[in-house]
Amino acid sequence: MGSWADIATDVHSRVARLDVRFGSLGFDAFGISRAHLLRAAVPLAWLSRRYFRVRVHGLDHVPPDGGVLLVANHAGGYALDGAMIATAMLLEHEPPRLVHGMAERFLERLPFASAWAARCGQLTGLPEHADRLLRLGRVVLVFPEGARGTEKLFPQRNTLGAFRGGFVRVAMRTGVPIVPIAVLGTGCALPTIVNIEWLGRALGLPYVPLTAYGLPLPLPARLDVIASPPLHFRGEEDEEAVAAHVAVVKQRIAALIAAGLDYRRGRIDDDGLARRAGNVTT
Amino acid sequence: MNVAIVGIANPIGRLLEARLRDRGDRVVGIDPRHHAAAAVVRAARPDTAILLDGAEGAIAPRMADDDLGLRRVRAFVDLCDRERIGHAIVVGRHTHYGAIPDGALYRLEDEPPLGLTGSALLAPFVAADLYAAAALQRVAKDAATHLRIVHPLGPRGVGSLARLLNTVVIPAVIGFDPLIQFLHEDDLIDALTRVVDLRPGGVFNVTGPAPLPWSVVVRETHRRRLVLPEALLNAALSRLSRRLDLAWTTAQLKHAVVVDGGAFVRATGFSHRFEADATMAAFATAFPPHRLTFMGRRALSKRSVTETVRAGPHE
């Protein structure tokens, strides 16, 4: 499964198995296009398998059907982690599932990027979108750190910023489980030394990440995607309860990052990682 | 049933009139600002009055002298109040909600109109929509129904989407491809007749099949897109809008206005008969690109008024 042709064949067969109802013209009710998905997924799958050599751990914690909210840490200049989680859910999860990333609002103003994101199911991060998708049994991916997460510089790559609480409210309203996910290695793939905000503003972006080698292009660093068992939050949506649930999710992702770092440094093996990811105390 | 229609002369009005007459209803066309309107209504004793002005999405020159329809809406409301009309229906457009970059897909009826600051062209429609919705709830005797319909499309070339598609080249903004929501003209008439029969009270979005990207709509109707930078399109579209009485803005060609029609389906049991591909094929067959005249004007007026719309004489 190494060559481009093999990867393309695999991607085609897995996109055909997605639980998405494409109409006769190849579009679903959200404007997701089968053709665009294929065009985007093949290079992403190549990047995942050959360039970043992504290792996926515990993805079977994501239910095979029904609405589920994936909550992950953010690092590495831009949403490389989101793309790799979505690719993993397409290539490694059984059955393959389409991930709807909740995109930053600036993306919708960018020519080409906004159209491509929408055709591939990456909708603007609005509670209305998350609610509707989850009630329809789709997989929604959020980064509670927002754009501040990708702003992290190289030394802070494995830390967590402040979490916004909207995702917990959405999960409680829709009654779906939350699967915490840690992505490691994106901070090494794009080692940001400074974020140039004035250039970002000129381009309609929050900032442009500047690396030690000048270009905002990722290095072929190995990435790890680690999922933990789902969390279910029920009860009243009051401020105190939501803050407590957010803290639980953040704590679990922090523990996953710690376990993942030990794994990457060779201190624990696959079984050890599985044990720690599955038994993270909160 | 007796039905009074304001806007009976526009293509949707003619289609609705034909459908209602076919099933035995008595239909009368009225202009609420005419001095004889009250007398006509008193003679006809309509059970239902329908204001169709917003349905076409046209900016008729007369509307400019009429505060773009607001005075006409006011006259309609007063007439419903004075003559104690049982059921009042106002038909507006789904573009009411506004084409903005961070607008949600599938907007619900209770959402406010957004993005008006960037669209002086659409503001009068929204003002008329909001005024009608508020005023009719107050004056209608039995029920007031406020409909926000998506773009009609089909073999008669009705509506502003059809008019835009009948231009020689179809404008698009470089790098953007918004979802466009439409329903077949016959499905629209079905929806309106259901409202006349069932008298659901409240505000409803009326939708058809799932939306499609603008590029696909243009391709499937065998047209060609002219992809322009936004600044250039702003100037071109403002000229085009005036020439073709179109209420289209650059924002609508950049960002989607997609609405949720679930409440209307639950209230009336409506379901569309024509899928998107059949609707576009019907339009493309009736208006093949090679038959277009400059800006599509003559083709539209011939097809929509004299050839395809069967309308009885007005009472």
Side-chain angles (χ1 to χ4, degrees), chain A residues 24-25 27-31 105 108-115 119 123-124 126 128-129 132, chain B residues 101-106 108 174-177 179 210-213 216 219-220 255 260 277 280:
Chain A
S24 58
L25 294 167
F27 293 87
D28 92 328
F30 291 94
R105 297 184 183 204
E108 191 59 35
R109 298 176 191 275
L110 297 179
F112 303 105
S114 61
R119 293 297 89 80
L123 306 181
T124 309
L126 299 169
E128 294 91 334
H129 285 158
R132 185 172 287 270
Chain B
D102 52 358
L105 291 179
Y106 295 102
L108 298 170
I174 189 165
F176 292 91
D177 196 11
L179 292 176
L212 286 170
V216 175
R219 186 190 71 208
E220 293 297 315
H255 308 296
D260 183 332
D277 45 3
M280 291 185 291

mmCIF file of all heavy atoms in Angstrom, chain A residues 24-25 27-31 105 108-115 119 123-124 126 128-129 132, chain B residues 101-106 108 174-177 179 210-213 216 219-220 255 260 277 280:
data_model
loop_
_atom_site.group_PDB
_atom_site.id
_atom_site.type_symbol
_atom_site.label_atom_id
_atom_site.label_comp_id
_atom_site.label_asym_id
_atom_site.label_seq_id
_atom_site.Cartn_x
_atom_site.Cartn_y
_atom_site.Cartn_z
ATOM 1 N N SER A 24 -27.531 12.394 -7.231
ATOM 2 C CA SER A 24 -27.165 11.938 -8.578
ATOM 3 C C SER A 24 -26.038 12.785 -9.175
ATOM 4 O O SER A 24 -25.311 12.327 -10.053
ATOM 5 C CB SER A 24 -28.391 11.988 -9.490
ATOM 6 O OG SER A 24 -28.891 13.307 -9.529
ATOM 7 N N LEU A 25 -25.881 14.017 -8.691
ATOM 8 C CA LEU A 25 -24.814 14.876 -9.214
ATOM 9 C C LEU A 25 -23.561 14.815 -8.338
ATOM 10 O O LEU A 25 -22.608 15.565 -8.566
ATOM 11 C CB LEU A 25 -25.309 16.320 -9.321
ATOM 12 C CG LEU A 25 -26.423 16.517 -10.355
ATOM 13 C CD1 LEU A 25 -27.096 17.872 -10.190
ATOM 14 C CD2 LEU A 25 -25.885 16.368 -11.765
ATOM 15 N N PHE A 27 -23.319 15.289 -4.894
ATOM 16 C CA PHE A 27 -23.248 16.216 -3.757
ATOM 17 C C PHE A 27 -24.222 15.778 -2.671
ATOM 18 O O PHE A 27 -25.304 15.283 -2.984
ATOM 19 C CB PHE A 27 -23.612 17.645 -4.202
ATOM 20 C CG PHE A 27 -22.606 18.240 -5.137
ATOM 21 C CD1 PHE A 27 -22.705 18.021 -6.497
ATOM 22 C CD2 PHE A 27 -21.556 18.995 -4.654
ATOM 23 C CE1 PHE A 27 -21.763 18.552 -7.366
ATOM 24 C CE2 PHE A 27 -20.617 19.527 -5.509
ATOM 25 C CZ PHE A 27 -20.725 19.308 -6.879
ATOM 26 N N ASP A 28 -23.827 15.996 -1.414
ATOM 27 C CA ASP A 28 -24.769 15.699 -0.331
ATOM 28 C C ASP A 28 -25.468 16.999 0.084
ATOM 29 O O ASP A 28 -25.248 18.057 -0.524
ATOM 30 C CB ASP A 28 -24.062 15.006 0.832
ATOM 31 C CG ASP A 28 -23.564 15.978 1.884
ATOM 32 O OD1 ASP A 28 -23.210 17.116 1.505
ATOM 33 O OD2 ASP A 28 -23.523 15.618 3.058
ATOM 34 N N ALA A 29 -26.308 16.899 1.117
ATOM 35 C CA ALA A 29 -27.139 18.051 1.498
ATOM 36 C C ALA A 29 -26.319 19.231 2.015
ATOM 37 O O ALA A 29 -26.810 20.356 2.069
ATOM 38 C CB ALA A 29 -28.149 17.622 2.550
ATOM 39 N N PHE A 30 -25.063 19.004 2.403
ATOM 40 C CA PHE A 30 -24.212 20.093 2.889
ATOM 41 C C PHE A 30 -23.274 20.609 1.789
ATOM 42 O O PHE A 30 -22.375 21.394 2.065
ATOM 43 C CB PHE A 30 -23.391 19.624 4.094
ATOM 44 C CG PHE A 30 -24.229 19.373 5.303
ATOM 45 C CD1 PHE A 30 -24.711 18.106 5.574
ATOM 46 C CD2 PHE A 30 -24.566 20.404 6.160
ATOM 47 C CE1 PHE A 30 -25.504 17.871 6.677
ATOM 48 C CE2 PHE A 30 -25.359 20.183 7.270
ATOM 49 C CZ PHE A 30 -25.833 18.910 7.528
ATOM 50 N N GLY A 31 -23.482 20.122 0.583
ATOM 51 C CA GLY A 31 -22.631 20.568 -0.519
ATOM 52 C C GLY A 31 -21.315 19.824 -0.601
ATOM 53 O O GLY A 31 -20.398 20.256 -1.309
ATOM 54 N N ARG A 105 -13.384 30.910 11.309
ATOM 55 C CA ARG A 105 -14.255 31.749 10.482
ATOM 56 C C ARG A 105 -13.508 32.476 9.363
ATOM 57 O O ARG A 105 -14.084 32.764 8.321
ATOM 58 C CB ARG A 105 -15.004 32.761 11.345
ATOM 59 C CG ARG A 105 -15.923 32.068 12.320
ATOM 60 C CD ARG A 105 -16.754 33.022 13.115
ATOM 61 N NE ARG A 105 -17.558 32.252 14.072
ATOM 62 C CZ ARG A 105 -18.679 32.671 14.603
ATOM 63 N NH1 ARG A 105 -19.149 33.848 14.291
ATOM 64 N NH2 ARG A 105 -19.346 31.940 15.460
ATOM 65 N N GLU A 108 -13.652 31.085 5.656
ATOM 66 C CA GLU A 108 -14.792 31.309 4.773
ATOM 67 C C GLU A 108 -14.608 32.548 3.892
ATOM 68 O O GLU A 108 -15.258 32.696 2.871
ATOM 69 C CB GLU A 108 -16.056 31.445 5.628
ATOM 70 C CG GLU A 108 -17.362 31.420 4.877
ATOM 71 C CD GLU A 108 -17.594 30.156 4.062
ATOM 72 O OE1 GLU A 108 -17.190 29.065 4.493
ATOM 73 O OE2 GLU A 108 -18.174 30.268 2.975
ATOM 74 N N ARG A 109 -13.693 33.426 4.279
ATOM 75 C CA ARG A 109 -13.462 34.647 3.497
ATOM 76 C C ARG A 109 -12.366 34.464 2.457
ATOM 77 O O ARG A 109 -12.127 35.346 1.648
ATOM 78 C CB ARG A 109 -13.062 35.802 4.421
ATOM 79 C CG ARG A 109 -14.133 36.168 5.417
ATOM 80 C CD ARG A 109 -13.651 37.248 6.374
ATOM 81 N NE ARG A 109 -14.570 37.413 7.477
ATOM 82 C CZ ARG A 109 -15.644 38.182 7.448
ATOM 83 N NH1 ARG A 109 -15.909 38.889 6.374
ATOM 84 N NH2 ARG A 109 -16.443 38.253 8.497
ATOM 85 N N LEU A 110 -11.664 33.339 2.509
ATOM 86 C CA LEU A 110 -10.527 33.138 1.605
ATOM 87 C C LEU A 110 -10.982 32.500 0.298
ATOM 88 O O LEU A 110 -11.610 31.438 0.319
ATOM 89 C CB LEU A 110 -9.477 32.234 2.263
ATOM 90 C CG LEU A 110 -8.800 32.754 3.528
ATOM 91 C CD1 LEU A 110 -7.815 31.729 4.049
ATOM 92 C CD2 LEU A 110 -8.087 34.064 3.247
ATOM 93 N N PRO A 111 -10.641 33.102 -0.835
ATOM 94 C CA PRO A 111 -10.981 32.477 -2.105
ATOM 95 C C PRO A 111 -10.326 31.105 -2.216
ATOM 96 O O PRO A 111 -9.265 30.874 -1.658
ATOM 97 C CB PRO A 111 -10.421 33.435 -3.156
ATOM 98 C CG PRO A 111 -9.899 34.606 -2.445
ATOM 99 C CD PRO A 111 -9.877 34.329 -0.981
ATOM 100 N N PHE A 112 -10.935 30.215 -2.939
ATOM 101 C CA PHE A 112 -10.470 28.843 -3.192
ATOM 102 C C PHE A 112 -10.486 27.996 -1.917
ATOM 103 O O PHE A 112 -11.094 26.931 -1.898
ATOM 104 C CB PHE A 112 -9.083 28.803 -3.855
ATOM 105 C CG PHE A 112 -9.038 29.564 -5.142
ATOM 106 C CD1 PHE A 112 -8.424 30.806 -5.221
ATOM 107 C CD2 PHE A 112 -9.664 29.067 -6.282
ATOM 108 C CE1 PHE A 112 -8.422 31.531 -6.400
ATOM 109 C CE2 PHE A 112 -9.662 29.782 -7.470
ATOM 110 C CZ PHE A 112 -9.038 31.011 -7.523
ATOM 111 N N ALA A 113 -9.826 28.458 -0.855
ATOM 112 C CA ALA A 113 -9.776 27.655 0.373
ATOM 113 C C ALA A 113 -11.188 27.426 0.917
ATOM 114 O O ALA A 113 -11.528 26.319 1.341
ATOM 115 C CB ALA A 113 -8.918 28.354 1.425
ATOM 116 N N SER A 114 -12.019 28.474 0.887
ATOM 117 C CA SER A 114 -13.369 28.329 1.438
ATOM 118 C C SER A 114 -14.176 27.343 0.613
ATOM 119 O O SER A 114 -14.891 26.490 1.150
ATOM 120 C CB SER A 114 -14.077 29.685 1.483
ATOM 121 O OG SER A 114 -14.202 30.209 0.182
ATOM 122 N N ALA A 115 -14.065 27.433 -0.706
ATOM 123 C CA ALA A 115 -14.830 26.540 -1.576
ATOM 124 C C ALA A 115 -14.372 25.088 -1.394
ATOM 125 O O ALA A 115 -15.194 24.173 -1.289
ATOM 126 C CB ALA A 115 -14.669 26.972 -3.033
ATOM 127 N N ARG A 119 -16.575 21.918 0.084
ATOM 128 C CA ARG A 119 -16.823 20.726 -0.751
ATOM 129 C C ARG A 119 -16.321 19.465 -0.064
ATOM 130 O O ARG A 119 -16.745 18.365 -0.378
ATOM 131 C CB ARG A 119 -16.149 20.858 -2.113
ATOM 132 C CG ARG A 119 -16.663 21.918 -3.057
ATOM 133 C CD ARG A 119 -18.101 21.720 -3.497
ATOM 134 N NE ARG A 119 -19.033 22.354 -2.582
ATOM 135 C CZ ARG A 119 -19.327 23.640 -2.560
ATOM 136 N NH1 ARG A 119 -18.803 24.430 -3.445
ATOM 137 N NH2 ARG A 119 -20.190 24.139 -1.692
ATOM 138 N N LEU A 123 -16.882 22.660 7.559
ATOM 139 C CA LEU A 123 -17.788 23.805 7.644
ATOM 140 C C LEU A 123 -17.301 24.795 8.703
ATOM 141 O O LEU A 123 -16.510 24.445 9.588
ATOM 142 C CB LEU A 123 -19.195 23.338 7.994
ATOM 143 C CG LEU A 123 -19.783 22.250 7.080
ATOM 144 C CD1 LEU A 123 -21.195 21.893 7.522
ATOM 145 C CD2 LEU A 123 -19.794 22.694 5.633
ATOM 146 N N THR A 124 -17.815 26.022 8.594
ATOM 147 C CA THR A 124 -17.441 27.055 9.569
ATOM 148 C C THR A 124 -17.816 26.599 10.987
ATOM 149 O O THR A 124 -18.886 26.005 11.179
ATOM 150 C CB THR A 124 -18.169 28.370 9.234
ATOM 151 O OG1 THR A 124 -17.956 28.653 7.865
ATOM 152 C CG2 THR A 124 -17.638 29.522 10.070
ATOM 153 N N LEU A 126 -19.519 26.789 13.741
ATOM 154 C CA LEU A 126 -20.690 27.406 14.360
ATOM 155 C C LEU A 126 -21.441 26.325 15.138
ATOM 156 O O LEU A 126 -21.522 25.186 14.671
ATOM 157 C CB LEU A 126 -21.634 27.978 13.286
ATOM 158 C CG LEU A 126 -21.074 29.060 12.379
ATOM 159 C CD1 LEU A 126 -22.036 29.324 11.226
ATOM 160 C CD2 LEU A 126 -20.866 30.334 13.182
ATOM 161 N N GLU A 128 -24.513 25.912 15.309
ATOM 162 C CA GLU A 128 -25.606 25.406 14.466
ATOM 163 C C GLU A 128 -25.130 24.264 13.574
ATOM 164 O O GLU A 128 -25.841 23.277 13.374
ATOM 165 C CB GLU A 128 -26.163 26.531 13.571
ATOM 166 C CG GLU A 128 -26.845 27.657 14.320
ATOM 167 C CD GLU A 128 -25.880 28.784 14.665
ATOM 168 O OE1 GLU A 128 -24.660 28.518 14.784
ATOM 169 O OE2 GLU A 128 -26.357 29.920 14.829
ATOM 170 N N HIS A 129 -23.925 24.407 13.011
ATOM 171 C CA HIS A 129 -23.395 23.349 12.152
ATOM 172 C C HIS A 129 -23.115 22.086 12.954
ATOM 173 O O HIS A 129 -23.476 20.983 12.544
ATOM 174 C CB HIS A 129 -22.099 23.822 11.467
ATOM 175 C CG HIS A 129 -22.350 24.783 10.345
ATOM 176 N ND1 HIS A 129 -21.388 25.648 9.886
ATOM 177 C CD2 HIS A 129 -23.440 25.012 9.592
ATOM 178 C CE1 HIS A 129 -21.883 26.358 8.904
ATOM 179 N NE2 HIS A 129 -23.134 25.998 8.701
ATOM 180 N N ARG A 132 -26.395 20.302 13.995
ATOM 181 C CA ARG A 132 -27.096 19.645 12.888
ATOM 182 C C ARG A 132 -26.350 18.386 12.444
ATOM 183 O O ARG A 132 -26.946 17.339 12.223
ATOM 184 C CB ARG A 132 -27.255 20.636 11.722
ATOM 185 C CG ARG A 132 -28.059 20.118 10.556
ATOM 186 C CD ARG A 132 -28.332 21.213 9.566
ATOM 187 N NE ARG A 132 -29.326 22.148 10.048
ATOM 188 C CZ ARG A 132 -30.628 22.025 9.839
ATOM 189 N NH1 ARG A 132 -31.097 21.000 9.171
ATOM 190 N NH2 ARG A 132 -31.479 22.915 10.308
ATOM 191 N N PRO B 101 -20.233 35.615 5.204
ATOM 192 C CA PRO B 101 -19.219 34.550 5.235
ATOM 193 C C PRO B 101 -19.428 33.519 6.333
ATOM 194 O O PRO B 101 -19.213 32.347 6.120
ATOM 195 C CB PRO B 101 -17.901 35.301 5.433
ATOM 196 C CG PRO B 101 -18.218 36.724 5.571
ATOM 197 C CD PRO B 101 -19.654 36.945 5.297
ATOM 198 N N ASP B 102 -19.853 33.967 7.512
ATOM 199 C CA ASP B 102 -19.985 32.996 8.599
ATOM 200 C C ASP B 102 -21.442 32.702 8.935
ATOM 201 O O ASP B 102 -21.781 32.403 10.075
ATOM 202 C CB ASP B 102 -19.222 33.460 9.841
ATOM 203 C CG ASP B 102 -19.602 34.870 10.248
ATOM 204 O OD1 ASP B 102 -20.423 35.468 9.537
ATOM 205 O OD2 ASP B 102 -19.093 35.363 11.264
ATOM 206 N N GLY B 103 -22.291 32.745 7.926
ATOM 207 C CA GLY B 103 -23.692 32.369 8.115
ATOM 208 C C GLY B 103 -23.813 30.848 8.133
ATOM 209 O O GLY B 103 -23.097 30.159 7.415
ATOM 210 N N ALA B 104 -24.739 30.357 8.961
ATOM 211 C CA ALA B 104 -24.908 28.907 9.053
ATOM 212 C C ALA B 104 -25.647 28.385 7.831
ATOM 213 O O ALA B 104 -26.433 29.101 7.204
ATOM 214 C CB ALA B 104 -25.688 28.561 10.308
ATOM 215 N N LEU B 105 -25.382 27.143 7.489
ATOM 216 C CA LEU B 105 -26.212 26.466 6.498
ATOM 217 C C LEU B 105 -27.516 26.069 7.190
ATOM 218 O O LEU B 105 -27.526 25.779 8.370
ATOM 219 C CB LEU B 105 -25.521 25.204 5.979
ATOM 220 C CG LEU B 105 -24.288 25.390 5.106
ATOM 221 C CD1 LEU B 105 -23.720 24.038 4.702
ATOM 222 C CD2 LEU B 105 -24.627 26.184 3.858
ATOM 223 N N TYR B 106 -28.594 26.040 6.443
ATOM 224 C CA TYR B 106 -29.914 25.636 6.939
ATOM 225 C C TYR B 106 -30.400 26.553 8.055
ATOM 226 O O TYR B 106 -30.503 26.162 9.212
ATOM 227 C CB TYR B 106 -29.910 24.160 7.360
ATOM 228 C CG TYR B 106 -29.688 23.263 6.170
ATOM 229 C CD1 TYR B 106 -28.454 22.684 5.924
ATOM 230 C CD2 TYR B 106 -30.715 23.055 5.256
ATOM 231 C CE1 TYR B 106 -28.240 21.906 4.800
ATOM 232 C CE2 TYR B 106 -30.516 22.277 4.134
ATOM 233 C CZ TYR B 106 -29.273 21.710 3.915
ATOM 234 O OH TYR B 106 -29.077 20.953 2.792
ATOM 235 N N LEU B 108 -32.939 28.799 10.196
ATOM 236 C CA LEU B 108 -34.314 28.610 10.648
ATOM 237 C C LEU B 108 -35.067 29.936 10.579
ATOM 238 O O LEU B 108 -34.463 31.003 10.461
ATOM 239 C CB LEU B 108 -34.311 28.068 12.073
ATOM 240 C CG LEU B 108 -33.646 26.689 12.219
ATOM 241 C CD1 LEU B 108 -33.462 26.341 13.687
ATOM 242 C CD2 LEU B 108 -34.456 25.615 11.508
ATOM 243 N N ILE B 174 -14.305 34.854 -8.479
ATOM 244 C CA ILE B 174 -13.138 33.967 -8.520
ATOM 245 C C ILE B 174 -12.841 33.409 -7.116
ATOM 246 O O ILE B 174 -12.806 34.138 -6.137
ATOM 247 C CB ILE B 174 -11.923 34.711 -9.116
ATOM 248 C CG1 ILE B 174 -10.779 33.730 -9.353
ATOM 249 C CG2 ILE B 174 -11.451 35.852 -8.242
ATOM 250 C CD1 ILE B 174 -9.700 34.294 -10.251
ATOM 251 N N GLY B 175 -12.715 32.091 -7.052
ATOM 252 C CA GLY B 175 -12.373 31.445 -5.781
ATOM 253 C C GLY B 175 -13.555 31.109 -4.892
ATOM 254 O O GLY B 175 -13.374 30.532 -3.830
ATOM 255 N N PHE B 176 -14.781 31.463 -5.310
ATOM 256 C CA PHE B 176 -15.961 31.186 -4.492
ATOM 257 C C PHE B 176 -17.001 30.400 -5.297
ATOM 258 O O PHE B 176 -17.133 30.614 -6.504
ATOM 259 C CB PHE B 176 -16.589 32.486 -3.976
ATOM 260 C CG PHE B 176 -15.729 33.187 -2.971
ATOM 261 C CD1 PHE B 176 -14.796 34.139 -3.375
ATOM 262 C CD2 PHE B 176 -15.825 32.893 -1.621
ATOM 263 C CE1 PHE B 176 -13.984 34.782 -2.461
ATOM 264 C CE2 PHE B 176 -15.018 33.532 -0.703
ATOM 265 C CZ PHE B 176 -14.102 34.479 -1.111
ATOM 266 N N ASP B 177 -17.693 29.519 -4.623
ATOM 267 C CA ASP B 177 -18.689 28.686 -5.295
ATOM 268 C C ASP B 177 -19.818 28.371 -4.311
ATOM 269 O O ASP B 177 -19.893 27.270 -3.762
ATOM 270 C CB ASP B 177 -18.012 27.384 -5.773
ATOM 271 C CG ASP B 177 -18.861 26.655 -6.799
ATOM 272 O OD1 ASP B 177 -19.838 27.251 -7.283
ATOM 273 O OD2 ASP B 177 -18.536 25.490 -7.109
ATOM 274 N N LEU B 179 -23.383 27.576 -2.349
ATOM 275 C CA LEU B 179 -24.526 26.690 -2.596
ATOM 276 C C LEU B 179 -25.741 27.543 -2.968
ATOM 277 O O LEU B 179 -25.968 28.594 -2.372
ATOM 278 C CB LEU B 179 -24.842 25.869 -1.344
ATOM 279 C CG LEU B 179 -23.803 24.829 -0.938
ATOM 280 C CD1 LEU B 179 -24.204 24.176 0.374
ATOM 281 C CD2 LEU B 179 -23.621 23.778 -2.023
ATOM 282 N N ALA B 210 -31.970 19.410 -2.210
ATOM 283 C CA ALA B 210 -30.755 19.891 -1.552
ATOM 284 C C ALA B 210 -30.044 20.902 -2.444
ATOM 285 O O ALA B 210 -30.096 20.801 -3.679
ATOM 286 C CB ALA B 210 -29.830 18.709 -1.259
ATOM 287 N N PRO B 211 -29.369 21.885 -1.832
ATOM 288 C CA PRO B 211 -28.708 22.926 -2.635
ATOM 289 C C PRO B 211 -27.520 22.371 -3.404
ATOM 290 O O PRO B 211 -26.958 21.330 -3.043
ATOM 291 C CB PRO B 211 -28.244 23.922 -1.571
ATOM 292 C CG PRO B 211 -28.111 23.122 -0.324
ATOM 293 C CD PRO B 211 -29.155 22.062 -0.386
ATOM 294 N N LEU B 212 -27.149 23.096 -4.445
ATOM 295 C CA LEU B 212 -25.996 22.701 -5.266
ATOM 296 C C LEU B 212 -25.071 23.900 -5.441
ATOM 297 O O LEU B 212 -25.529 25.048 -5.407
ATOM 298 C CB LEU B 212 -26.472 22.239 -6.645
ATOM 299 C CG LEU B 212 -27.145 20.873 -6.707
ATOM 300 C CD1 LEU B 212 -27.783 20.657 -8.070
ATOM 301 C CD2 LEU B 212 -26.157 19.758 -6.387
ATOM 302 N N PRO B 213 -23.791 23.643 -5.663
ATOM 303 C CA PRO B 213 -22.879 24.766 -5.916
ATOM 304 C C PRO B 213 -23.267 25.520 -7.194
ATOM 305 O O PRO B 213 -23.800 24.931 -8.140
ATOM 306 C CB PRO B 213 -21.517 24.080 -6.084
ATOM 307 C CG PRO B 213 -21.654 22.765 -5.406
ATOM 308 C CD PRO B 213 -23.086 22.357 -5.588
ATOM 309 N N VAL B 216 -22.148 24.140 -10.462
ATOM 310 C CA VAL B 216 -22.891 22.975 -10.949
ATOM 311 C C VAL B 216 -24.221 23.417 -11.569
ATOM 312 O O VAL B 216 -24.637 22.889 -12.608
ATOM 313 C CB VAL B 216 -23.125 21.979 -9.794
ATOM 314 C CG1 VAL B 216 -23.988 20.812 -10.238
ATOM 315 C CG2 VAL B 216 -21.795 21.483 -9.257
ATOM 316 N N ARG B 219 -23.362 24.754 -14.942
ATOM 317 C CA ARG B 219 -22.965 23.666 -15.856
ATOM 318 C C ARG B 219 -24.164 22.823 -16.277
ATOM 319 O O ARG B 219 -24.337 22.508 -17.447
ATOM 320 C CB ARG B 219 -21.933 22.775 -15.145
ATOM 321 C CG ARG B 219 -21.332 21.691 -16.028
ATOM 322 C CD ARG B 219 -20.518 20.728 -15.187
ATOM 323 N NE ARG B 219 -21.376 19.907 -14.347
ATOM 324 C CZ ARG B 219 -21.022 19.378 -13.179
ATOM 325 N NH1 ARG B 219 -19.830 19.609 -12.680
ATOM 326 N NH2 ARG B 219 -21.861 18.628 -12.492
ATOM 327 N N GLU B 220 -25.019 22.482 -15.322
ATOM 328 C CA GLU B 220 -26.145 21.595 -15.625
ATOM 329 C C GLU B 220 -27.242 22.290 -16.427
ATOM 330 O O GLU B 220 -28.123 21.632 -16.953
ATOM 331 C CB GLU B 220 -26.726 21.033 -14.323
ATOM 332 C CG GLU B 220 -25.787 20.094 -13.593
ATOM 333 C CD GLU B 220 -25.465 18.843 -14.392
ATOM 334 O OE1 GLU B 220 -26.393 18.241 -14.954
ATOM 335 O OE2 GLU B 220 -24.261 18.491 -14.472
ATOM 336 N N HIS B 255 -21.265 33.750 -0.952
ATOM 337 C CA HIS B 255 -21.642 33.003 0.246
ATOM 338 C C HIS B 255 -23.061 32.462 0.118
ATOM 339 O O HIS B 255 -23.936 33.114 -0.447
ATOM 340 C CB HIS B 255 -21.551 33.901 1.475
ATOM 341 C CG HIS B 255 -20.231 34.603 1.593
ATOM 342 N ND1 HIS B 255 -19.048 33.919 1.769
ATOM 343 C CD2 HIS B 255 -19.904 35.917 1.512
ATOM 344 C CE1 HIS B 255 -18.050 34.784 1.813
ATOM 345 N NE2 HIS B 255 -18.541 35.998 1.656
ATOM 346 N N ASP B 260 -33.683 26.053 6.106
ATOM 347 C CA ASP B 260 -34.282 24.785 6.529
ATOM 348 C C ASP B 260 -35.792 24.886 6.315
ATOM 349 O O ASP B 260 -36.440 25.748 6.907
ATOM 350 C CB ASP B 260 -33.960 24.569 8.013
ATOM 351 C CG ASP B 260 -34.474 23.242 8.536
ATOM 352 O OD1 ASP B 260 -35.482 22.737 8.005
ATOM 353 O OD2 ASP B 260 -33.868 22.700 9.475
ATOM 354 N N ASP B 277 -31.802 17.808 -10.544
ATOM 355 C CA ASP B 277 -31.382 17.568 -11.935
ATOM 356 C C ASP B 277 -32.551 17.728 -12.903
ATOM 357 O O ASP B 277 -32.398 18.292 -13.993
ATOM 358 C CB ASP B 277 -30.702 16.201 -12.082
ATOM 359 C CG ASP B 277 -31.441 15.082 -11.377
ATOM 360 O OD1 ASP B 277 -32.511 15.350 -10.816
ATOM 361 O OD2 ASP B 277 -30.943 13.944 -11.408
ATOM 362 N N MET B 280 -33.315 21.536 -13.277
ATOM 363 C CA MET B 280 -32.352 22.240 -14.134
ATOM 364 C C MET B 280 -32.506 21.818 -15.592
ATOM 365 O O MET B 280 -32.395 22.640 -16.506
ATOM 366 C CB MET B 280 -30.921 21.967 -13.633
ATOM 367 C CG MET B 280 -30.638 22.633 -12.301
ATOM 368 S SD MET B 280 -28.925 22.442 -11.757
ATOM 369 C CE MET B 280 -28.868 20.707 -11.407
#
